[in-house]
Amino acid sequence: MSKTLFAAAAASLLLVGAASAQTAPAPAPAPAPAQDHAHAEHHAHPTIDSPIEALVNDPATKAVLEKHLPGMDKHPAYGQFKGMTLRQLAPYSQGAITDEKIAAIDADLKALPAA
């Protein structure tokens, strides 16, 4: 009887060991997207929904801001609002940033040639 118990215990250990050793293979990494070399150099300008700091840091979009909101990056509170978008800042601008002005800036930004 002890041989039967030993055999049963050994078989159960083998089954548990085999079951725990069987793991699903790791999924293959996703293939890298194919690069379109014709557009690899394309750099998009910041948009109306970009933070003001991004608009100021791009020379082309900064010129658009200067046209509509001159001196924005020189404002004493620039450090506090540079992470906001123009739409987010508008309610705090005391009427300086209107929906019409945002629409005009947006139109000028969209008219910029690709960088």
XYZ file of all heavy atoms in Angstrom:
829
model
N 0.812 -1.181 0.000
C 0.000 0.000 0.000
C 0.861 1.251 0.000
O 0.488 2.239 -0.600
C -0.901 -0.016 1.219
C -1.689 1.228 1.305
S -3.205 0.906 2.141
C -3.491 2.484 2.755
N 2.006 1.172 0.667
C 2.854 2.346 0.686
C 3.397 2.643 -0.698
O 3.635 3.791 -1.053
C 3.983 2.195 1.703
O 4.829 1.133 1.318
N 3.590 1.592 -1.511
C 4.034 1.819 -2.875
C 2.962 2.546 -3.676
O 3.251 3.403 -4.485
C 4.369 0.485 -3.556
C 5.667 -0.101 -3.128
C 5.952 -1.317 -3.955
C 7.299 -1.886 -3.578
N 7.678 -3.010 -4.391
N 1.697 2.239 -3.429
C 0.593 2.884 -4.129
C 0.493 4.339 -3.722
O 0.309 5.223 -4.563
C -0.727 2.171 -3.821
O -0.574 0.778 -4.102
C -1.864 2.724 -4.610
N 0.623 4.608 -2.421
C 0.592 6.004 -1.937
C 1.765 6.788 -2.511
O 1.607 7.928 -2.934
C 0.652 6.045 -0.408
C -0.663 5.864 0.303
C -0.448 5.806 1.807
C -1.595 7.011 -0.033
N 2.945 6.169 -2.521
C 4.118 6.841 -3.049
C 3.936 7.143 -4.532
O 4.244 8.231 -5.012
C 5.370 5.987 -2.811
C 6.601 6.593 -3.408
C 7.241 7.666 -2.787
C 7.121 6.124 -4.604
C 8.367 8.239 -3.343
C 8.237 6.693 -5.165
C 8.873 7.762 -4.527
N 3.419 6.199 -5.267
C 3.204 6.383 -6.700
C 2.177 7.474 -6.958
O 2.334 8.301 -7.855
C 2.768 5.072 -7.336
N 1.115 7.508 -6.163
C 0.082 8.532 -6.324
C 0.635 9.910 -5.984
O 0.371 10.899 -6.668
C -1.118 8.215 -5.444
N 1.436 9.990 -4.935
C 2.033 11.270 -4.550
C 3.010 11.741 -5.608
O 3.041 12.918 -5.973
C 2.728 11.137 -3.195
N 3.807 10.834 -6.121
C 4.774 11.186 -7.159
C 4.061 11.643 -8.417
O 4.447 12.620 -9.060
C 5.688 10.006 -7.441
N 2.994 10.966 -8.788
C 2.239 11.329 -9.988
C 1.609 12.703 -9.822
O 1.620 13.521 -10.738
C 1.182 10.278 -10.271
N 1.067 12.976 -8.629
C 0.442 14.286 -8.414
C 1.489 15.396 -8.439
O 1.250 16.477 -8.950
C -0.357 14.302 -7.110
O 0.512 14.188 -6.013
N 2.678 15.144 -7.919
C 3.747 16.142 -7.969
C 4.174 16.401 -9.411
O 4.424 17.534 -9.807
C 4.946 15.691 -7.131
C 4.803 15.838 -5.625
C 6.024 15.270 -4.925
C 4.629 17.296 -5.250
N 4.243 15.331 -10.187
C 4.617 15.498 -11.590
C 3.563 16.308 -12.339
O 3.890 17.173 -13.153
C 4.814 14.139 -12.253
C 6.090 13.399 -11.865
C 6.095 12.002 -12.489
C 7.318 14.163 -12.320
N 2.297 16.026 -12.058
C 1.222 16.754 -12.724
C 1.227 18.225 -12.329
O 1.085 19.106 -13.175
C -0.126 16.124 -12.405
C -0.389 14.768 -13.057
C -1.711 14.200 -12.565
C -0.403 14.906 -14.565
N 1.393 18.507 -11.047
C 1.422 19.894 -10.579
C 2.631 20.605 -11.163
O 2.538 21.722 -11.653
C 1.430 19.951 -9.034
C 1.721 21.354 -8.540
C 0.114 19.454 -8.484
N 3.782 19.956 -11.157
C 4.990 20.562 -11.711
C 4.844 20.834 -13.197
O 5.216 21.881 -13.701
N 4.266 19.884 -13.907
C 4.098 20.058 -15.348
C 3.095 21.167 -15.645
O 3.284 21.960 -16.560
C 3.645 18.752 -15.978
N 2.029 21.218 -14.855
C 1.013 22.241 -15.080
C 1.557 23.631 -14.782
O 1.279 24.590 -15.481
C -0.214 21.960 -14.217
N 2.367 23.736 -13.720
C 2.885 25.062 -13.385
C 3.996 25.490 -14.328
O 4.247 26.669 -14.522
C 3.382 25.110 -11.939
O 4.484 24.238 -11.792
N 4.654 24.525 -14.967
C 5.729 24.865 -15.890
C 5.183 25.302 -17.245
O 5.882 25.933 -18.013
C 6.663 23.674 -16.079
N 3.934 24.975 -17.508
C 3.357 25.348 -18.793
C 2.766 26.752 -18.691
O 1.722 26.966 -18.106
C 2.258 24.364 -19.183
C 2.795 22.994 -19.504
C 1.678 22.050 -19.909
O 0.546 22.442 -20.012
N 2.027 20.793 -20.134
N 3.468 27.683 -19.241
C 2.976 29.056 -19.269
C 2.793 29.458 -20.713
O 3.444 28.938 -21.613
C 3.958 30.033 -18.599
O 5.216 29.935 -19.269
C 4.138 29.725 -17.128
N 1.918 30.378 -20.916
C 1.675 30.850 -22.272
C 2.906 31.602 -22.763
O 3.548 32.318 -21.994
C 0.464 31.781 -22.288
N 3.242 31.422 -24.006
C 4.399 32.160 -24.523
C 4.113 33.660 -24.514
O 2.973 34.089 -24.639
C 4.549 31.641 -25.961
C 3.229 31.052 -26.310
C 2.613 30.609 -25.023
N 5.162 34.414 -24.327
C 5.003 35.864 -24.321
C 4.526 36.320 -25.686
O 4.975 35.805 -26.710
C 6.338 36.530 -23.982
N 3.588 37.270 -25.708
C 3.111 37.741 -27.002
C 4.240 38.427 -27.766
O 5.107 39.070 -27.176
C 1.998 38.729 -26.650
C 2.242 39.097 -25.229
C 2.971 37.954 -24.597
N 4.213 38.259 -29.047
C 5.234 38.888 -29.888
C 5.042 40.396 -29.849
O 3.915 40.889 -29.792
C 5.102 38.384 -31.317
N 6.125 41.147 -29.821
C 5.974 42.604 -29.814
C 5.307 43.070 -31.096
O 5.487 42.465 -32.157
C 7.414 43.114 -29.713
C 8.289 41.972 -30.101
C 7.514 40.727 -29.841
N 4.542 44.125 -30.970
C 3.861 44.676 -32.143
C 4.898 45.180 -33.128
O 5.904 45.771 -32.738
C 2.943 45.815 -31.716
N 4.673 44.967 -34.392
C 5.637 45.453 -35.373
C 5.660 46.974 -35.378
O 4.650 47.623 -35.145
C 5.122 44.903 -36.701
C 3.684 44.598 -36.470
C 3.552 44.288 -35.009
N 6.823 47.511 -35.604
C 6.952 48.968 -35.665
C 6.191 49.466 -36.878
O 6.197 48.833 -37.927
C 8.427 49.359 -35.766
N 5.502 50.612 -36.722
C 4.767 51.132 -37.867
C 5.726 51.491 -38.997
O 6.830 51.982 -38.756
C 4.068 52.373 -37.321
C 4.761 52.707 -36.052
C 5.399 51.453 -35.558
N 5.297 51.228 -40.186
C 6.125 51.560 -41.347
C 6.251 53.072 -41.443
O 5.283 53.801 -41.261
C 5.482 51.002 -42.610
N 7.441 53.527 -41.678
C 7.662 54.961 -41.784
C 7.470 55.399 -43.218
O 7.948 54.762 -44.146
C 9.060 55.332 -41.316
C 9.226 55.219 -39.834
C 10.552 55.822 -39.388
O 11.363 56.229 -40.186
N 10.749 55.880 -38.101
N 6.761 56.477 -43.356
C 6.580 57.080 -44.663
C 7.723 58.072 -44.822
O 7.718 59.146 -44.255
C 5.217 57.789 -44.706
C 4.932 58.403 -46.060
O 5.811 58.356 -46.940
O 3.825 58.933 -46.230
N 8.729 57.667 -45.563
C 9.927 58.496 -45.673
C 9.654 59.832 -46.325
O 10.376 60.795 -46.103
C 11.026 57.729 -46.417
C 11.524 56.552 -45.630
N 12.303 56.695 -44.506
C 11.321 55.219 -45.782
C 12.574 55.495 -44.003
N 11.984 54.593 -44.749
N 8.611 59.914 -47.110
C 8.285 61.197 -47.729
C 7.816 62.196 -46.685
O 7.952 63.396 -46.856
C 7.203 61.002 -48.792
N 7.268 61.680 -45.583
C 6.762 62.564 -44.541
C 7.572 62.462 -43.253
O 7.181 63.008 -42.236
C 5.288 62.258 -44.255
C 4.399 62.555 -45.417
N 4.016 61.583 -46.300
C 3.863 63.710 -45.868
C 3.262 62.122 -47.234
N 3.152 63.408 -46.997
N 8.665 61.780 -43.259
C 9.464 61.588 -42.053
C 9.997 62.911 -41.529
O 10.165 63.095 -40.330
C 10.611 60.622 -42.326
N 10.256 63.855 -42.407
C 10.794 65.146 -41.997
C 9.691 66.131 -41.611
O 9.967 67.232 -41.175
C 11.637 65.740 -43.145
C 12.822 64.877 -43.530
C 13.897 64.839 -42.462
O 14.143 65.881 -41.832
O 14.477 63.769 -42.244
N 8.432 65.759 -41.816
C 7.314 66.665 -41.562
C 7.212 66.995 -40.075
O 7.234 66.125 -39.233
C 6.011 66.037 -42.049
C 4.814 66.897 -41.793
N 4.558 68.026 -42.512
C 3.834 66.792 -40.889
C 3.453 68.584 -42.059
N 2.993 67.847 -41.078
N 7.107 68.255 -39.799
C 6.951 68.719 -38.424
C 5.725 69.604 -38.386
O 5.655 70.600 -39.102
C 8.194 69.498 -37.990
C 7.996 70.291 -36.734
N 7.910 69.695 -35.507
C 7.846 71.617 -36.526
C 7.717 70.644 -34.595
N 7.679 71.808 -35.193
N 4.770 69.237 -37.603
C 3.546 70.027 -37.508
C 3.732 71.170 -36.516
O 4.407 71.028 -35.506
C 2.397 69.134 -37.070
N 3.127 72.282 -36.843
C 3.131 73.420 -35.930
C 2.147 73.151 -34.802
O 1.197 72.391 -34.962
C 2.690 74.692 -36.664
C 3.662 75.175 -37.688
N 4.881 75.726 -37.366
C 3.598 75.197 -39.044
C 5.508 76.066 -38.473
N 4.762 75.750 -39.508
N 2.343 73.807 -33.666
C 1.327 73.727 -32.614
C -0.018 74.247 -33.148
O -0.061 75.035 -34.093
C 1.866 74.641 -31.514
C 3.339 74.738 -31.776
C 3.493 74.607 -33.258
N -1.091 73.819 -32.529
C -2.438 74.210 -32.959
C -3.093 75.109 -31.923
O -2.526 75.361 -30.853
C -3.322 72.968 -33.159
O -3.556 72.374 -31.867
C -2.677 71.956 -34.092
N -4.301 75.526 -32.209
C -5.054 76.375 -31.285
C -5.279 75.658 -29.953
O -5.461 76.303 -28.922
C -6.392 76.818 -31.928
C -7.012 77.999 -31.175
C -7.366 75.664 -32.007
C -6.264 79.289 -31.306
N -5.228 74.330 -29.959
C -5.429 73.552 -28.735
C -4.128 73.231 -28.006
O -4.145 72.521 -26.999
C -6.185 72.259 -29.061
C -7.582 72.552 -29.584
O -8.273 73.411 -29.000
O -7.983 71.922 -30.580
N -3.024 73.758 -28.498
C -1.727 73.561 -27.843
C -1.570 74.566 -26.708
O -2.177 75.638 -26.727
C -0.593 73.777 -28.852
O -0.665 72.853 -29.903
N -0.734 74.245 -25.731
C -0.451 75.224 -24.680
C 0.175 76.491 -25.286
O 0.871 76.431 -26.301
C 0.552 74.511 -23.770
C 0.390 73.070 -24.076
C -0.052 72.978 -25.504
N -0.087 77.605 -24.672
C 0.433 78.887 -25.155
C 1.957 78.837 -25.279
O 2.524 79.363 -26.238
C -0.042 80.029 -24.230
C -1.562 80.172 -24.363
C 0.676 81.328 -24.538
C -2.223 81.010 -23.293
N 2.608 78.184 -24.351
C 4.070 78.076 -24.395
C 4.543 77.419 -25.691
O 5.538 77.839 -26.286
C 4.574 77.295 -23.186
C 6.074 77.181 -23.112
C 6.537 76.484 -21.847
O 5.816 75.603 -21.333
O 7.623 76.833 -21.366
N 3.818 76.393 -26.159
C 4.186 75.733 -27.415
C 4.009 76.687 -28.592
O 4.825 76.701 -29.515
C 3.345 74.475 -27.614
N 2.963 77.497 -28.558
C 2.742 78.478 -29.621
C 3.848 79.527 -29.629
O 4.314 79.945 -30.684
C 1.380 79.153 -29.444
C 0.156 78.249 -29.624
C -1.108 78.955 -29.142
C 0.010 77.826 -31.066
N 4.288 79.931 -28.454
C 5.346 80.951 -28.345
C 6.697 80.385 -28.768
O 7.520 81.099 -29.357
C 5.395 81.512 -26.900
C 6.629 82.350 -26.660
C 4.142 82.330 -26.612
N 6.931 79.111 -28.509
C 8.235 78.507 -28.814
C 8.445 78.206 -30.299
O 9.569 77.960 -30.710
C 8.433 77.234 -27.994
C 8.678 77.538 -26.529
O 9.059 78.637 -26.167
N 8.438 76.560 -25.681
N 7.386 78.206 -31.080
C 7.499 77.979 -32.525
C 7.481 79.351 -33.207
O 6.524 80.106 -33.053
C 6.311 77.130 -32.991
C 6.361 76.797 -34.461
O 6.290 77.729 -35.295
O 6.448 75.604 -34.792
N 8.527 79.714 -33.940
C 8.599 81.059 -34.531
C 7.401 81.417 -35.416
O 6.913 82.549 -35.368
C 9.890 81.033 -35.347
C 10.716 79.958 -34.726
C 9.743 78.932 -34.213
N 6.899 80.469 -36.191
C 5.772 80.767 -37.081
C 4.490 81.021 -36.297
O 3.746 81.965 -36.590
C 5.572 79.625 -38.072
N 4.233 80.193 -35.294
C 3.005 80.381 -34.519
C 3.133 81.568 -33.566
O 2.140 82.218 -33.265
C 2.621 79.102 -33.753
O 3.693 78.705 -32.896
C 2.306 77.971 -34.713
N 4.353 81.863 -33.132
C 4.553 83.048 -32.295
C 4.205 84.310 -33.085
O 3.597 85.238 -32.548
C 5.997 83.138 -31.790
C 6.212 84.336 -30.879
C 7.610 84.397 -30.326
C 7.733 85.604 -29.405
N 9.049 85.711 -28.814
N 4.549 84.336 -34.367
C 4.217 85.490 -35.204
C 2.701 85.672 -35.294
O 2.200 86.803 -35.270
C 4.825 85.324 -36.588
N 1.961 84.562 -35.362
C 0.500 84.641 -35.394
C -0.015 85.213 -34.069
O -0.883 86.097 -34.052
C -0.130 83.256 -35.681
C -1.643 83.292 -35.515
C 0.257 82.773 -37.068
N 0.530 84.731 -32.958
C 0.118 85.266 -31.654
C 0.424 86.750 -31.550
O -0.391 87.530 -31.043
C 0.826 84.523 -30.516
C 0.219 83.232 -30.022
C 1.008 82.702 -28.826
C -1.230 83.394 -29.659
N 1.602 87.135 -31.999
C 1.998 88.553 -31.938
C 1.053 89.426 -32.761
O 0.777 90.562 -32.396
C 3.440 88.728 -32.420
C 4.479 88.310 -31.397
C 4.471 89.181 -30.141
O 4.377 90.423 -30.246
O 4.549 88.609 -29.045
N 0.576 88.899 -33.871
C -0.354 89.651 -34.722
C -1.660 89.930 -33.981
O -2.199 91.035 -34.046
C -0.627 88.850 -36.004
C -1.703 89.423 -36.898
C -1.939 88.512 -38.103
C -3.172 88.936 -38.884
N -3.469 87.985 -39.964
N -2.172 88.931 -33.277
C -3.482 89.044 -32.636
C -3.417 89.446 -31.163
O -4.330 90.115 -30.672
C -4.234 87.722 -32.764
C -4.548 87.348 -34.170
N -5.605 87.876 -34.872
C -3.926 86.495 -35.033
C -5.630 87.369 -36.098
N -4.617 86.525 -36.215
N -2.383 89.025 -30.477
C -2.234 89.294 -29.038
C -0.791 89.712 -28.759
O -0.012 88.966 -28.167
C -2.592 88.045 -28.223
C -4.013 87.515 -28.375
C -4.132 86.107 -27.812
C -5.002 88.449 -27.694
N -0.418 90.907 -29.193
C 0.992 91.318 -29.059
C 1.476 91.317 -27.609
O 0.752 91.704 -26.701
C 1.015 92.726 -29.652
C -0.389 93.123 -29.905
C -1.260 91.930 -29.765
N 2.710 90.838 -27.452
C 3.354 90.864 -26.142
C 2.876 89.825 -25.155
O 3.194 89.911 -23.969
N 2.152 88.837 -25.616
C 1.617 87.829 -24.691
C 2.722 87.176 -23.869
O 2.564 86.971 -22.661
C 0.831 86.770 -25.450
C 0.344 85.639 -24.550
S -0.773 84.531 -25.368
C -2.307 85.279 -24.880
N 3.850 86.861 -24.505
C 4.930 86.193 -23.778
C 5.680 87.147 -22.852
O 6.521 86.712 -22.069
C 5.890 85.508 -24.742
C 6.558 86.467 -25.705
O 5.923 87.472 -26.093
O 7.707 86.215 -26.090
N 5.366 88.419 -22.905
C 5.990 89.409 -22.012
C 5.077 89.767 -20.831
O 5.448 90.539 -19.959
C 6.305 90.693 -22.791
C 7.063 90.478 -24.082
C 8.555 90.506 -23.870
C 9.315 90.495 -25.171
N 9.364 89.235 -25.855
N 3.871 89.220 -20.829
C 2.901 89.516 -19.771
C 3.469 89.079 -18.423
O 4.103 88.028 -18.313
C 1.589 88.774 -20.058
C 0.456 89.197 -19.195
N 0.314 88.761 -17.902
C -0.574 90.034 -19.435
C -0.768 89.299 -17.385
N -1.330 90.076 -18.290
N 3.263 89.878 -17.374
C 3.813 89.524 -16.052
C 3.350 88.163 -15.526
O 4.076 87.522 -14.771
C 3.309 90.644 -15.134
C 2.873 91.745 -16.024
C 2.577 91.163 -17.363
N 2.183 87.718 -15.936
C 1.661 86.439 -15.451
C 1.915 85.292 -16.438
O 1.370 84.201 -16.276
C 0.163 86.558 -15.179
N 2.761 85.516 -17.443
C 3.009 84.498 -18.463
C 3.388 83.149 -17.832
O 2.902 82.103 -18.255
C 4.103 84.959 -19.434
C 4.465 83.920 -20.463
C 3.608 83.638 -21.519
C 5.655 83.202 -20.379
C 3.927 82.672 -22.468
C 5.982 82.240 -21.326
C 5.114 81.978 -22.363
O 5.428 81.021 -23.291
N 4.226 83.161 -16.851
C 4.646 81.921 -16.186
C 3.490 81.154 -15.588
O 3.549 79.925 -15.466
N 2.422 81.859 -15.244
C 1.265 81.195 -14.648
C 0.306 80.630 -15.686
O -0.385 79.655 -15.427
C 0.515 82.179 -13.745
C 1.343 82.637 -12.565
C 0.674 83.765 -11.797
O -0.269 84.372 -12.272
N 1.189 84.044 -10.607
N 0.239 81.255 -16.862
C -0.733 80.792 -17.855
C -0.119 80.114 -19.074
O -0.850 79.636 -19.939
C -1.676 81.919 -18.299
C -1.041 83.063 -19.041
C -0.615 82.937 -20.352
C -0.903 84.296 -18.425
C -0.058 83.999 -21.038
C -0.345 85.373 -19.105
C 0.071 85.228 -20.424
N 1.178 80.002 -19.155
C 1.811 79.443 -20.356
C 1.441 77.984 -20.614
O 1.506 77.521 -21.749
C 3.330 79.610 -20.297
C 4.004 78.785 -19.215
C 5.482 79.070 -19.174
C 6.163 78.213 -18.118
N 7.598 78.488 -18.079
N 1.030 77.262 -19.616
C 0.619 75.873 -19.793
C -0.834 75.712 -20.206
O -1.286 74.606 -20.477
N -1.552 76.821 -20.303
C -2.964 76.787 -20.675
C -3.116 77.007 -22.179
O -2.226 77.543 -22.830
C -3.724 77.883 -19.920
C -3.671 77.749 -18.412
S -4.352 79.188 -17.560
C -6.095 78.907 -17.772
N -4.262 76.610 -22.711
C -4.586 76.935 -24.100
C -5.256 78.306 -24.114
O -5.675 78.823 -23.073
C -5.546 75.901 -24.708
O -6.805 75.999 -24.045
C -4.991 74.484 -24.603
N -5.374 78.877 -25.292
C -6.058 80.178 -25.391
C -7.509 80.073 -24.928
O -8.014 80.981 -24.259
C -5.987 80.702 -26.826
C -4.604 81.156 -27.277
C -4.590 81.446 -28.770
C -4.158 82.391 -26.497
N -8.172 78.962 -25.255
C -9.570 78.781 -24.811
C -9.660 78.699 -23.288
O -10.621 79.175 -22.692
C -10.159 77.525 -25.441
C -10.488 77.690 -26.907
C -11.279 76.483 -27.447
N -11.554 76.657 -28.849
C -10.884 76.063 -29.827
N -9.903 75.235 -29.546
N -11.213 76.268 -31.083
N -8.676 78.068 -22.665
C -8.689 77.974 -21.203
C -8.413 79.331 -20.563
O -8.946 79.637 -19.504
C -7.639 76.967 -20.737
C -7.978 75.534 -21.086
C -6.817 74.583 -20.813
O -5.653 74.959 -20.899
N -7.145 73.331 -20.509
N -7.578 80.123 -21.199
C -7.202 81.421 -20.652
C -8.263 82.490 -20.883
O -8.366 83.441 -20.099
C -5.869 81.875 -21.258
C -5.271 83.172 -20.741
C -5.016 83.097 -19.235
C -3.985 83.493 -21.490
N -9.063 82.351 -21.920
C -10.035 83.379 -22.309
C -10.901 83.904 -21.161
O -11.037 85.119 -21.010
C -10.894 82.873 -23.460
N -11.483 83.052 -20.318
C -12.345 83.581 -19.254
C -11.614 84.485 -18.251
O -12.239 85.285 -17.564
C -12.872 82.331 -18.543
C -12.669 81.210 -19.498
C -11.495 81.585 -20.341
N -10.302 84.373 -18.188
C -9.513 85.166 -17.237
C -8.870 86.386 -17.890
O -8.121 87.117 -17.241
C -8.415 84.290 -16.618
C -8.950 83.013 -16.029
C -8.783 81.799 -16.699
C -9.646 83.010 -14.827
C -9.282 80.622 -16.178
C -10.159 81.832 -14.302
C -9.971 80.645 -14.979
O -10.479 79.486 -14.465
N -9.127 86.608 -19.186
C -8.417 87.636 -19.942
C -9.089 89.000 -19.936
O -8.643 89.894 -20.646
C -8.226 87.176 -21.387
O -9.471 87.196 -22.075
N -10.158 89.140 -19.185
C -10.898 90.405 -19.104
C -11.314 90.889 -20.491
O -11.235 92.067 -20.818
C -10.080 91.470 -18.359
C -9.763 91.058 -16.942
C -8.881 92.055 -16.221
O -8.193 92.856 -16.830
N -8.906 91.988 -14.906
N -11.725 89.959 -21.336
C -12.226 90.291 -22.656
C -11.169 90.425 -23.736
O -11.493 90.673 -24.894
N -9.903 90.269 -23.398
C -8.836 90.412 -24.400
C -8.804 89.230 -25.355
O -8.418 89.375 -26.519
C -7.484 90.557 -23.708
N -9.206 88.039 -24.886
C -9.217 86.846 -25.737
C -10.679 86.447 -25.924
O -11.295 85.881 -25.029
C -8.403 85.696 -25.120
C -6.965 86.136 -24.860
C -8.421 84.476 -26.030
C -6.133 85.124 -24.091
N -11.222 86.772 -27.077
C -12.621 86.482 -27.382
C -12.706 85.254 -28.281
O -11.701 84.816 -28.853
C -13.259 87.671 -28.117
O -12.564 87.864 -29.354
C -13.184 88.947 -27.274
N -13.923 84.743 -28.439
C -14.136 83.616 -29.356
C -13.756 84.012 -30.779
O -13.187 83.203 -31.524
C -15.591 83.140 -29.315
C -15.941 82.409 -28.028
O -15.019 81.933 -27.335
O -17.151 82.310 -27.721
N -14.054 85.237 -31.149
C -13.715 85.717 -32.494
C -12.205 85.770 -32.691
O -11.688 85.401 -33.746
C -14.331 87.102 -32.738
C -15.843 87.111 -32.800
C -16.513 87.057 -31.412
O -15.858 87.360 -30.378
O -17.698 86.681 -31.377
N -11.487 86.226 -31.662
C -10.033 86.307 -31.762
C -9.431 84.903 -31.834
O -8.502 84.655 -32.608
C -9.456 87.079 -30.575
C -8.015 87.493 -30.801
C -7.581 88.551 -29.816
C -8.126 89.873 -30.268
N -7.408 91.027 -29.766
N -9.968 83.976 -31.056
C -9.493 82.592 -31.095
C -9.738 82.005 -32.484
O -8.868 81.336 -33.045
C -10.166 81.743 -29.993
C -9.641 82.181 -28.619
C -9.922 80.261 -30.219
C -10.358 81.543 -27.444
N -10.901 82.288 -33.065
C -11.205 81.783 -34.413
C -10.240 82.375 -35.442
O -9.780 81.666 -36.346
C -12.650 82.105 -34.780
N -9.914 83.649 -35.311
C -8.986 84.293 -36.246
C -7.577 83.706 -36.099
O -6.890 83.447 -37.098
C -8.970 85.796 -36.017
N -7.145 83.485 -34.865
C -5.830 82.875 -34.626
C -5.812 81.465 -35.189
O -4.856 81.058 -35.857
C -5.484 82.888 -33.119
C -5.289 84.327 -32.632
C -4.251 82.045 -32.828
C -5.213 84.475 -31.113
N -6.886 80.720 -34.953
C -6.976 79.354 -35.454
C -6.882 79.333 -36.979
O -6.163 78.498 -37.553
C -8.281 78.710 -34.983
C -8.369 77.235 -35.285
O -7.323 76.552 -35.313
O -9.500 76.743 -35.481
N -7.577 80.237 -37.648
C -7.526 80.297 -39.114
C -6.120 80.595 -39.596
O -5.620 79.971 -40.550
C -8.503 81.347 -39.628
N -5.431 81.524 -38.932
C -4.063 81.858 -39.320
C -3.111 80.684 -39.057
O -2.183 80.438 -39.846
C -3.572 83.109 -38.589
C -4.165 84.391 -39.152
O -4.893 84.331 -40.175
O -3.927 85.462 -38.561
N -3.307 79.981 -37.960
C -2.464 78.824 -37.661
C -2.645 77.744 -38.709
O -1.674 77.112 -39.153
C -2.762 78.272 -36.261
C -2.379 79.150 -35.071
C -2.886 78.523 -33.776
C -0.894 79.388 -35.014
N -3.893 77.499 -39.101
C -4.168 76.463 -40.107
C -3.620 76.848 -41.477
O -3.366 75.981 -42.293
C -5.670 76.197 -40.177
C -6.178 75.448 -38.969
C -7.680 75.253 -39.020
C -8.151 74.465 -37.804
N -9.615 74.368 -37.742
N -3.451 78.144 -41.714
C -2.952 78.612 -43.002
C -1.420 78.538 -43.098
O -0.869 78.723 -44.179
C -3.413 80.047 -43.247
N -0.750 78.269 -41.984
C 0.716 78.196 -42.012
C 1.168 77.020 -42.856
O 0.601 75.924 -42.771
C 1.260 78.036 -40.586
C 1.145 79.239 -39.660
C 1.583 78.857 -38.255
C 1.962 80.402 -40.179
N 2.227 77.211 -43.627
C 2.775 76.067 -44.372
C 3.413 75.083 -43.399
O 3.879 75.467 -42.325
C 3.803 76.695 -45.293
C 4.146 78.010 -44.665
C 2.948 78.442 -43.877
N 3.420 73.822 -43.777
C 4.046 72.798 -42.926
C 5.515 73.136 -42.738
O 6.182 73.623 -43.652
C 3.898 71.426 -43.559
N 5.983 72.874 -41.549
C 7.380 73.193 -41.234
C 8.304 72.159 -41.789
O 7.966 71.051 -42.035
C 7.556 73.280 -39.726
